[in-house]
Amino acid sequence: MMKKTTNKKWLIGFYVLCFFLIYIMSSNYPVHTDEYMYSYIFGTNIKITVPIQLLISLKKMYFEWSGRIVSNFLQQLFIYLGTSFFIISNSMVFILILWYSYKIISNILKIEKTENNMLKINILLFFFIWFFIPAFSQDFIWMVGSANYAWPLFLNLIFLDKLMRLNEEEKIKIKYIILIFIVAVSNESSVIFTGILMLIFLFFEFIKNKKFKKNKLEIFIYFSLCSLAQILAPGNLLRIKNESQVFFPRNTILEKMFYILNLMEFQILIVLSIVLVIILYILKIRIKRMSVVLLITSILNLVVFIFMLPRNENRALLYPLF
């Protein structure tokens, strides 16, 4: 009983430490030009001063710039509500990312859910996020960057946690469809990672049972349809057509591939992955099927990113490396 109480105190202390670390970093992060630009109704010189203008700006962004409905709304909402609101909520979201990641890992590996195991996994997660995400501050600290990457990742983890715990006979309720839509229109990374994950998961299920589970097939169809709202957004198509090659030069596939391979974080992760596989083989530890599915998803996600991204952007590598 004493040990359990001690572990709980250490766990709470760890979360408090993480909260204040992100809080302090966010408080001291310099203001970016994007924060100034997004403080106005998109494409105008009218500053956002009332909530309805957020929706007006969101509509303009969707038709003229980007299909990231959730990210675009969040970044302007944070600017409108002020830095203090963002810093507190963003620090909390970082903790929730750790917590949901722990839930997913413990479900995959069938780890006993104790405070001790939770503390160990959370420390490891923090260590890997801190050292191996190439653009940590851009993804988790910067206001606009966090709205575009950390927050969609958080939503994706919620969705993935629910997907993994979905019973075969469970019906898809309206609140689940709403979550699917939110994830599908948050960031292109969400579409790629989650779409590949569900496709591979359906493939493995079909190989095993010679049929698809109805509810999971429904989720995949819902997600695919909702994703079209982001992918085929008029703003995306217009941006691709009009984006200047002078100001935004595009990298070739080989340039992007070598750029990723030359990242120190990526190289170390590859080495660690090989070492882990060797250890598992020596100890004869059986790798769970879901672990294989996630690994294949991450690799395919990275491959798709190499072909899809117009230029090298470290922050866009958050999903495949995470």
Side-chain angles (χ1 to χ4, degrees), residues 131-142:
F131 287 102
F132 296 110
I133 298 301
F136 177 85
S137 61
Q138 292 182 45
D139 289 327
F140 293 98
I141 307 300
W142 173 35

Side-chain angles (χ1 to χ4, degrees), residues 68-317:
R68 296 180 180 180
I69 297 174
V70 173
S71 297
N72 290 338
F73 177 75
L74 283 175
Q75 63 192 11
Q76 292 201 297
L77 177 67
F78 292 149
I79 295 167
Y80 172 72
L81 293 176
T83 306
S84 296
F85 174 83
F86 165 73
I87 291 172
I88 293 171
S89 58
N90 192 57
S91 302
M92 185 59 68
V93 159
F94 184 80
I95 292 173
L96 290 172
I97 286 172
L98 293 177
W99 187 66
Y100 270 101
S101 299
Y102 157 75
K103 286 183 66 179
I104 292 168
I105 290 171
S106 61
N107 284 332
I108 291 172
L109 302 179
K110 307 299 180 186
I111 297 171
E112 185 182 358
K113 294 181 180 179
T114 63
E115 281 85 2
N116 187 37
N117 287 337
M118 191 174 182
L119 178 62
K120 290 177 182 177
I121 292 174
N122 271 277
I123 291 174
L124 283 173
L125 280 168
F126 178 82
F127 174 82
F128 278 103
I129 291 171
W130 182 269
F131 287 102
F132 296 110
I133 298 301
F136 177 85
S137 61
Q138 292 182 45
D139 289 327
F140 293 98
I141 307 300
W142 173 35
M143 184 184 288
V144 171
S146 182
N148 279 273
Y149 294 98
W151 285 69
L153 175 64
F154 165 57
L155 295 170
N156 217 317
L157 289 172
I158 295 175
F159 174 74
L160 183 56
D161 176 57
K162 291 186 179 296
L163 181 66
M164 289 177 56
R165 293 187 291 107
L166 190 70
N167 296 322
E168 188 173 352
E169 303 300 323
E170 190 175 341
K171 291 185 178 180
I172 309 303
K173 298 178 181 178
I174 186 66
K175 62 181 181 180
Y176 205 100
I177 296 175
I178 292 171
L179 177 61
I180 291 171
F181 177 78
I182 291 172
V183 172
V185 298
S186 59
N187 187 296
E188 296 89 350
S189 305
S190 299
V191 172
I192 296 169
F193 181 85
T194 311
I196 293 174
L197 174 66
M198 288 192 289
L199 196 60
I200 295 174
F201 197 81
L202 285 171
F203 173 76
F204 274 92
E205 289 291 340
F206 185 80
I207 294 296
K208 181 182 178 181
N209 304 316
K210 305 301 179 185
K211 65 176 183 178
F212 295 114
K213 291 181 179 179
K214 184 181 177 182
N215 54 3
K216 290 186 178 178
L217 182 59
E218 284 180 10
I219 290 173
F220 179 72
I221 293 171
Y222 284 137
F223 185 82
S224 300
L225 292 174
C226 291
S227 298
L228 294 177
Q230 178 180 188
I231 296 169
L232 300 180
N236 281 341
L237 303 179
L238 192 65
R239 189 175 174 185
I240 291 170
K241 181 181 178 181
N242 297 332
E243 193 171 71
S244 170
Q245 289 290 321
V246 176
F247 291 101
F248 300 103
R250 294 173 180 269
N251 298 107
T252 65
I253 291 172
L254 281 176
E255 284 175 336
K256 288 182 283 186
M257 184 176 70
F258 283 116
Y259 173 77
I260 292 172
L261 291 175
N262 284 326
L263 285 174
M264 183 183 66
E265 296 91 346
F266 183 77
Q267 292 171 355
I268 295 174
L269 275 175
I270 294 297
V271 172
L272 287 175
S273 299
I274 294 171
V275 171
L276 179 61
V277 170
I278 294 172
I279 291 172
L280 291 173
Y281 178 78
I282 292 173
L283 297 178
K284 296 181 179 180
I285 298 174
R286 186 169 174 268
I287 302 175
K288 305 290 182 182
R289 188 188 67 182
M290 190 62 186
S291 305
V292 176
V293 171
L294 283 170
L295 180 60
I296 294 172
T297 301
S298 297
I299 294 170
L300 289 177
N301 194 16
L302 190 59
V303 172
V304 171
F305 266 60
I306 291 173
F307 283 90
M308 187 190 77
L309 284 177
R311 51 193 168 270
N312 299 327
E313 290 183 347
N314 282 4
R315 60 179 178 270
L317 297 174

Side-chain angles (χ1 to χ4, degrees), residues 52-68:
I52 190 65
Q53 291 176 320
L54 292 169
L55 299 179
I56 295 170
S57 184
L58 182 63
K59 180 184 175 183
K60 284 181 67 62
M61 290 185 77
Y62 183 77
F63 283 96
E64 299 174 20
W65 182 251
S66 164
R68 296 180 180 180

